[in-house]
Amino acid sequence: MGLPVRRVRLILLALAAALAGAAVSFAGLLGFVGLIVPHMVRRLVGGEGRSLLPGCALGGAALLTLCDIAARTLFAPYELPVGIVLSLVGGPFFLWLLFRKKGVIHP
């Protein structure tokens, strides 16, 4: 009906990425957990809400605890910010999700 679908899709995708980035920057890197954990848990327990919501709560707590332990013990006399360790886990995971969706990597 005259709508440039490709251009609108690209604009909306950029807007969604900017909004997600703004939310993470506002909440801090620990807010990144809310973006990572549901994707991880959905692969483990499935998409049913009854098991997904408690799984996300427990998975988020477990991920933050493991990242905090790693941040405190990897360089023993020094402490890394937990956000750095979390981004080292979440960044590759999101890249894997992106490439898997694009068909570059097959599960």
Side-chain angles (χ1 to χ4, degrees):
M1 298 272 173
L3 183 70
V5 175
R6 286 181 174 239
R7 191 174 81 197
V8 171
R9 183 184 314 156
L10 183 65
I11 290 170
L12 290 177
L13 183 62
L15 180 66
L19 288 173
V24 168
S25 71
F26 181 74
L29 277 176
L30 297 182
F32 195 51
V33 173
L35 297 174
I36 298 172
V37 172
H39 291 289
M40 290 179 173
V41 172
R42 190 174 294 119
R43 296 192 58 79
L44 295 174
V45 299
E48 185 181 339
R50 183 180 293 183
S51 59
L52 186 62
L53 188 61
C56 286
L58 292 174
L63 180 66
L64 270 180
T65 302
L66 290 174
C67 287
D68 186 50
I69 289 170
R72 292 175 188 258
T73 59
L74 283 177
F75 302 103
Y78 306 106
E79 248 183 66
L80 289 175
V82 69
I84 291 175
V85 178
L86 186 61
S87 65
L88 289 174
V89 171
F93 182 74
F94 268 141
L95 286 175
W96 176 78
L97 275 178
L98 177 70
F99 288 137
R100 187 179 63 95
K101 292 286 184 186
K102 291 287 185 180
V104 176
I105 300 174
H106 299 286

